[in-house]
Amino acid sequence: MKTATNYIGPDSILRKKQEYLIPCVYHFYKKPMQIVKGEMQYLYDHTGMQYLDFYGGVSVMNAGHCNKEIVEKICEQIRTLQHTTTIYLTQPIVDLAEKLAQIAPGTLKRSFFCASGSEANDGAALLAQLHNGKHRFIAVRQGLSGRTKLTMNLTGLPLWRTDPFPLSNIVHIPGAYCYRCAYGYTYPNCDIQCARYIEDVVKNGEFAAFIIETIQGNGGIITPPPEYFTVVRHILNKYQVLLIVDEVQTGFGRTGRMFAIEHWGVEPDIMTMAKAIANGTPIGAFITNDKIASSYTRPGASTTGGNPVSATAALATIEVIEKHNLVQRAKDLGDYFKQKLIGLQQKHKLIGEVRGKGLMLGVELVKENKIPATEELDNILEQLKERGILAGKTGESRNVLTFQPPLVITRDNIDLVIETLDNML
Ligand code: PMP
């Protein structure tokens, strides 16, 4: 490892960043550190300081940073065969597709591989249009789908909608944000109005699909109530509109199930994946059933999508998740962490709500009358960092303290985060 003296350090990185990167590439913290090393749930900066990483590169590092079992397999593959594209036959891509068919819900069986979550959602939306010949989409206001022209427009969160010439074929509806219900109702007396409203929108018959993250991550860990997806599925079936579920943040054990949609017991028509699928190696995918897949027959190619290295990384990641029971671990540790956070909520007025499933948890910080405590959250993130803990921020008002740690964390790690927060709030 390099020593502190031969790293260029945060100030030089900031200078180069300001000069050579497009300014949209933003970063956390007033005084950011240079991260130089990762080891399971820990990151290290150039001074050797250790950080307990409770954000996991935004829900990517489910199997831990530089997980040795995965890294070994990637290195072996990269030394043997790195890239060919799908115009030649290679084995990892088909082995991965077979594995995904085994672990995906219900009849989801056929995959297409690309390089990112944005591309996965973009491709899924195209597939829906090809399948039912309709051109419009419904998405939720709290959703984030990506950065391509289409997925940025599917995105509901204003912060991530930079497109100066928005598309007109997308309708955004309120998500199941019970803490701030757009209709002013209170769950469960609401009769899931937010889901039922979809019928008013899709009645005119022009909609290809409804796209939604099972738990809206960037939206502030918005977690729909148990009935939500059943109601949605029923309405969509009635009008032949497809359900595209985005598992980019929620997939691969994060929420205590392999895929979060399993909590709601509903089968989507198309499911999208990226982030944790290969524990940091770039790859995205969408998966669908035989019938819908048969609508996409014209040539489609993604140059690096599912190449031997990324497909091998994904296979190794899924193997580690299964071998070490990380899905169950996410559930058990997530339940423990959530109870502790609810304990903090009872003590500290700043905590308005604790929500999420497994190790995907959000703590909404508020002042009187639920006014978002945005600055307070920034201060907390900064102080946590000074004490060697990394967490995230999400929500339309950026006031939701967010935890998506590697699933390999321990109870002691959780206790430390709780104790540190308790002293800080
Ligand atoms: N879907 C969700 C739910 C996401 O959180 C993101 C990225 N944060 C994307 C899609 C886009 O993924 P990518 O950045 O890999 O293009």
Side-chain angles (χ1 to χ4, degrees):
M1 189 170 146
K2 285 182 174 182
T3 59
T5 46
N6 49 25
Y7 289 115
I8 65 171
D11 293 343
S12 302
I13 292 179
L14 283 174
R15 261 197 309 279
K16 287 195 193 208
K17 197 177 172 216
Q18 270 151 20
E19 191 162 354
Y20 299 112
L21 291 187
I22 306 238
C24 68
V25 183
Y26 91 116
H27 55 260
F28 271 15
Y29 305 122
K30 289 188 198 114
K31 276 198 255 153
M33 59 289 194
Q34 177 184 358
I35 301 286
V36 297
K37 192 178 123 170
E39 213 170 13
M40 300 307 268
Q41 67 269 51
Y42 299 104
L43 287 170
Y44 298 83
D45 74 11
H46 75 301
T47 68
M49 174 152 171
Q50 185 189 66
Y51 298 89
L52 177 57
D53 179 12
F54 262 46
Y55 207 22
V58 191
S59 205
V60 173
M61 307 310 296
N62 287 15
H65 292 279
C66 302
N67 183 304
K68 288 196 174 70
E69 290 172 86
I70 300 170
V71 169
E72 283 309 313
K73 293 200 170 133
I74 295 174
C75 291
E76 198 182 313
Q77 182 62 51
I78 216 164
R79 276 194 292 264
T80 317
L81 178 70
Q82 187 172 6
H83 178 77
T84 63
T85 84
T86 44
I87 58 175
Y88 305 108
L89 300 186
T90 55
Q91 188 177 335
I93 188 170
V94 289
D95 285 348
L96 176 58
E98 185 181 34
K99 184 72 202 174
L100 288 180
Q102 285 161 10
I103 63 172
T107 58
L108 298 180
K109 185 184 149 208
R110 287 177 184 266
S111 294
F112 180 89
F113 296 101
C114 48
S116 69
S118 301
E119 280 179 84
N121 283 331
D122 200 299
L126 170 72
L127 174 61
Q129 289 180 324
L130 286 171
H131 182 68
N132 61 17
K134 304 179 204 172
H135 77 297
R136 300 182 77 190
F137 296 101
I138 318 168
V140 291
R141 284 188 203 155
Q142 291 78 13
L144 186 148
S145 299
R147 258 165 319 286
T148 62
K149 177 82 185 174
L150 177 55
T151 57
M152 185 179 281
N153 278 274
L154 289 168
T155 296
L157 290 169
L159 179 65
W160 303 109
R161 286 176 57 82
T162 306
D163 189 352
F165 305 107
L167 299 173
S168 57
N169 60 338
I170 295 157
V171 175
H172 289 100
I173 60 167
Y177 191 3
C178 303
Y179 185 64
R180 298 178 193 273
C181 176
Y183 301 97
Y185 293 126
T186 308
Y187 177 80
N189 299 328
C190 58
D191 195 27
I192 322 293
Q193 197 53 41
C194 54
R196 297 200 189 281
Y197 178 62
I198 293 174
E199 183 149 17
D200 287 357
V201 180
V202 298
K203 277 206 279 244
N204 72 19
E206 295 169 351
F207 287 86
F210 174 45
I211 182 163
I212 182 168
E213 301 157 66
T214 26
I215 295 176
Q216 289 107 64
N218 268 281
I221 317 296
I222 307 297
T223 312
E227 308 84 344
Y228 183 81
F229 282 104
T230 309
V231 175
V232 167
R233 182 77 269 188
H234 180 74
I235 297 167
L236 298 182
N237 285 352
K238 189 165 156 196
Y239 296 92
Q240 283 105 47
V241 177
L242 300 189
L243 173 62
I244 302 174
V245 155
D246 175 336
E247 293 268 358
V248 169
Q249 287 210 14
T250 46
F252 301 94
R254 166 63 49 204
T255 69
R257 290 317 247 309
M258 187 57 91
F259 297 101
I261 192 67
E262 295 166 33
H263 290 287
W264 285 269
V266 159
E267 188 178 328
D269 297 298
I270 309 173
M271 185 172 84
T272 65
M273 300 157 271
K275 291 196 192 262
I277 181 173
N279 211 48
T281 302
I283 175 170
F286 56 92
I287 187 167
T288 189
N289 57 42
D290 279 331
K291 184 161 170 243
I292 295 171
S294 68
S295 304
Y296 195 176
T297 52
R298 293 185 59 174
S302 161
T303 304
T304 55
N307 84 6
V309 176
S310 47
T312 297
L315 279 164
T317 301
I318 298 166
E319 198 181 313
V320 163
I321 289 172
E322 289 184 329
K323 182 171 148 198
H324 298 283
N325 297 319
L326 294 186
V327 182
Q328 187 62 37
R329 191 178 176 89
K331 188 194 176 310
D332 296 342
L333 289 175
D335 288 348
Y336 177 74
F337 192 14
K338 192 171 184 184
Q339 278 321 306
K340 293 264 170 185
L341 289 169
I342 289 169
L344 287 187
Q345 181 186 13
Q346 280 147 12
K347 275 174 79 180
H348 301 281
K349 281 210 305 264
L350 195 62
I351 300 184
E353 188 178 53
V354 176
R355 53 181 178 257
K357 289 184 184 292
L359 286 172
M360 179 163 184
L361 297 173
V363 179
E364 178 150 358
L365 302 186
V366 292
K367 299 186 265 200
E368 298 91 78
N369 303 322
K370 292 192 182 175
I371 295 170
T374 306
E375 271 175 37
E376 287 78 355
L377 173 51
D378 274 336
N379 289 336
I380 287 170
L381 280 187
E382 207 80 38
Q383 286 183 51
L384 281 173
K385 185 207 79 173
E386 296 304 318
R387 291 167 167 77
I389 295 169
L390 307 182
K393 67 172 157 182
T394 57
E396 187 168 349
S397 304
R398 310 295 277 165
N399 66 322
V400 181
L401 179 60
T402 301
F403 299 108
Q404 291 166 292
L407 311 182
V408 298
I409 55 160
T410 62
R411 273 183 181 233
D412 286 350
N413 293 151
I414 293 171
D415 290 341
L416 178 72
V417 172
I418 292 291
E419 194 189 310
T420 312
L421 272 176
D422 196 13
N423 293 330
M424 201 178 275
L425 287 166

